[in-house]
Amino acid sequence: MSLSNTILGVLNLSAMTGYDLKKFIDHSTQFFWHAELSQIYPLLKQLETSGKVKVEVIPVEGKPDKKVYSITEKGRAEFLVWLSEPMDETPPTKSPMLLKIFFLQALDKNEVLAQLRCQLEAQRARLKRLQLETSRTIEESAGRTSFATQGVLWELVRQYGELQTQTSITWLEQALKVVEEKL
Amino acid sequence: MSLSNTILGVLNLSAMTGYDLKKFIDHSTQFFWHAELSQIYPLLKQLETSGKVKVEVIPVEGKPDKKVYSITEKGRAEFLVWLSEPMDETPPTKSPMLLKIFFLQALDKNEVLAQLRCQLEAQRARLKRLQLETSRTIEESAGRTSFATQGVLWELVRQYGELQTQTSITWLEQALKVVEEKL
DNA sequence: CAAGGCATGTAAATCGTTACATGATTTA
DNA sequence: TAAATCATGTAACGATTTACATGCCTTG
């Protein structure tokens, strides 16, 4: 049920359309949460049916009507309940990268090294993206009054992404050395 | 399709039952990949139908027959193709923890601090588990001949988990300070 | 004039979780 | 004697992805 809460959380900051919701998610939570429009649209409908969001339909010529969604009191209440639930357990995560590295020994040494180098490049590219793109997005959003108070936590979360990616890079560099020596 | 490949990867190390597969996954890949028996059993059947694994049924008195699965040449070939595919993209991951922290500003300061402290405890517990339990499992497995050559990458992967968790802990400690001062 | 952004969705398929069902043996 | 472990699964539901479908407007 985390996507419902993501949607409610964003709408709690500002009313917007499904399309804008998708863009917002892509530019803010993208490195720890994401969703496709084909998942967002039906969910918005469902949230509306259960009275957690309401819709204002704005007719547009020659295009589908624009549907601006905003959170209701009922929706906000539910969102706050979710937000207050203690995060006591570390929920299981999945990492295709780690999974593949775990099994890599079935290939020969050169292929193992190639895979690790490949992933190292991907992580370096990711770090650059996080440093440039995301910090810019946060600055822009911070300008808008409705998002202003979000600043502190957004910046923290962005730093988290940077730190973890940096850790991955350092680890991969180390892993390359170990594999070269010991395999 | 990563679970099929996980299963093929484990069976490539040693033949075993669905039940043992589950235990193996729980004790080795658990912090980056996991699965329920209700997903494993049907998948094994499917892999058998497509000729990627084969089964040896061992009758047991008073219990369901034991079904020992092993990988076929076809299965191994497919597994190696998957393993060789370049890991160029960083696949999108999901983190309920980050998601919640991202939205936490909707609560008041004390609740924010409580949530962060709660997660800090969870991460510290996780670190302990990784340091004790997992390293023990790896040592045990390393004793068995069929798993011996896996040692280097397993140890690396375990270290990755430790490093990332340590990074999370440091970040959460920092986040607590920042929130106390700035919020 | 082609590509991409704007703006809405539906349908099918796959992936994953939770609950249910059975029944013997071992351990606390 | 209650709970956990061994050992197999099915059914229902929920979450997610991929493909399809439409059509205008803007930018290169």
Side-chain angles (χ1 to χ4, degrees):
Chain A
M1 284 279 101
S2 278
L3 185 55
S4 322
N5 289 307
T6 307
I7 291 177
L8 291 175
V10 177
L11 293 182
N12 190 41
L13 300 171
S14 168
M16 63 182 83
T17 66
Y19 192 85
D20 287 335
L21 217 35
K22 164 71 170 157
K23 272 198 303 180
F24 183 90
I25 289 171
D26 283 350
H27 292 122
S28 59
T29 72
Q30 100 279 14
F31 82 88
F32 54 90
W33 207 268
H34 64 98
E36 298 303 318
L37 279 170
S38 58
Q39 204 186 353
I40 291 171
Y41 284 127
L43 242 176
L44 278 170
K45 215 168 250 180
Q46 200 184 297
L47 288 169
E48 199 208 336
T49 307
S50 52
K52 290 164 198 161
V53 303
K54 59 179 192 290
V55 111
E56 192 194 353
V57 180
I58 299 167
V60 181
E61 283 178 48
K63 282 188 194 177
D65 291 348
K66 209 178 212 186
K67 292 181 167 186
V68 179
Y69 289 89
S70 49
I71 196 166
T72 63
E73 269 317 306
K74 189 178 172 185
R76 197 190 317 274
E78 186 178 279
F79 170 66
L80 290 175
V81 166
W82 169 76
L83 206 58
S84 305
E85 276 164 15
M87 302 185 283
D88 43 6
E89 304 241 331
T90 317
T93 48
K94 294 192 173 183
S95 163
M97 175 191 100
L98 265 270
L99 184 67
K100 202 174 264 195
I101 292 177
F102 180 74
F103 287 121
L104 228 44
Q105 213 135 21
L107 300 179
D108 42 71
K109 188 174 169 178
N110 282 331
E111 283 182 286
V112 175
L113 291 170
Q115 285 288 45
L116 291 176
R117 285 197 199 100
C118 193
Q119 187 54 222
L120 182 55
E121 282 319 302
Q123 293 289 334
R124 282 179 178 152
R126 181 191 170 86
L127 184 61
K128 256 182 204 154
R129 248 188 301 128
L130 283 173
Q131 288 171 332
L132 297 174
E133 199 179 311
T134 313
S135 62
R136 186 155 35 81
T137 306
I138 289 176
E139 273 169 42
E140 280 168 21
S141 299
R144 298 214 258 153
T145 40
S146 49
F147 296 154
T149 50
Q150 280 295 120
V152 175
L153 284 171
W154 283 12
E155 179 55 22
L156 279 171
V157 165
R158 192 192 64 77
Q159 276 171 28
Y160 178 91
E162 229 180 280
L163 280 172
Q164 292 294 20
T165 309
Q166 188 54 65
T167 302
S168 295
I169 291 170
T170 309
W171 177 79
L172 280 163
E173 287 166 347
Q174 184 61 31
L176 276 165
K177 275 186 208 162
V178 172
V179 169
E180 257 174 61
E181 283 171 25
K182 292 198 187 169
L183 218 66
Chain B
M1 284 281 101
S2 277
L3 185 56
S4 320
N5 289 307
T6 307
I7 291 176
L8 291 175
V10 177
L11 293 182
N12 190 41
L13 300 172
S14 168
M16 64 180 83
T17 66
Y19 192 85
D20 288 335
L21 218 33
K22 164 70 171 159
K23 273 199 302 181
F24 184 90
I25 288 172
D26 282 350
H27 292 122
S28 59
T29 72
Q30 100 280 15
F31 82 90
F32 55 90
W33 208 267
H34 63 98
E36 298 303 319
L37 279 168
S38 58
Q39 204 185 351
I40 292 172
Y41 285 127
L43 241 175
L44 278 169
K45 216 168 247 181
Q46 200 183 296
L47 288 169
E48 198 208 337
T49 308
S50 52
K52 289 163 197 163
V53 302
K54 59 179 192 290
V55 113
E56 192 194 354
V57 180
I58 298 167
V60 180
E61 283 179 49
K63 281 188 194 175
D65 292 348
K66 209 177 212 186
K67 292 181 167 186
V68 179
Y69 289 90
S70 49
I71 196 167
T72 62
E73 269 318 305
K74 189 177 170 186
R76 197 191 315 274
E78 185 178 280
F79 170 66
L80 291 175
V81 165
W82 170 76
L83 205 59
S84 306
E85 275 164 14
M87 301 185 283
D88 43 6
E89 305 242 330
T90 316
T93 49
K94 293 193 172 183
S95 163
M97 173 191 101
L98 265 270
L99 185 67
K100 202 173 264 196
I101 292 177
F102 181 74
F103 286 121
L104 228 44
Q105 212 133 23
L107 300 179
D108 41 71
K109 189 174 167 178
N110 282 331
E111 284 182 285
V112 176
L113 290 170
Q115 285 288 45
L116 292 176
R117 285 197 199 100
C118 191
Q119 186 54 221
L120 183 54
E121 282 320 301
Q123 293 289 334
R124 281 178 177 152
R126 182 191 168 87
L127 184 61
K128 255 181 205 154
R129 249 187 301 129
L130 283 172
Q131 287 170 334
L132 298 174
E133 199 180 310
T134 314
S135 63
R136 186 155 36 82
T137 306
I138 289 176
E139 273 169 41
E140 280 168 22
S141 299
R144 297 216 258 153
T145 40
S146 48
F147 296 154
T149 49
Q150 280 294 119
V152 176
L153 284 171
W154 282 13
E155 179 54 23
L156 278 170
V157 164
R158 192 192 63 79
Q159 276 171 28
Y160 179 91
E162 230 180 280
L163 280 172
Q164 292 293 19
T165 309
Q166 187 54 66
T167 302
S168 294
I169 290 170
T170 308
W171 176 80
L172 279 163
E173 287 166 347
Q174 184 61 30
L176 275 165
K177 276 186 208 163
V178 172
V179 168
E180 257 174 62
E181 284 171 25
K182 292 198 184 170
L183 216 67

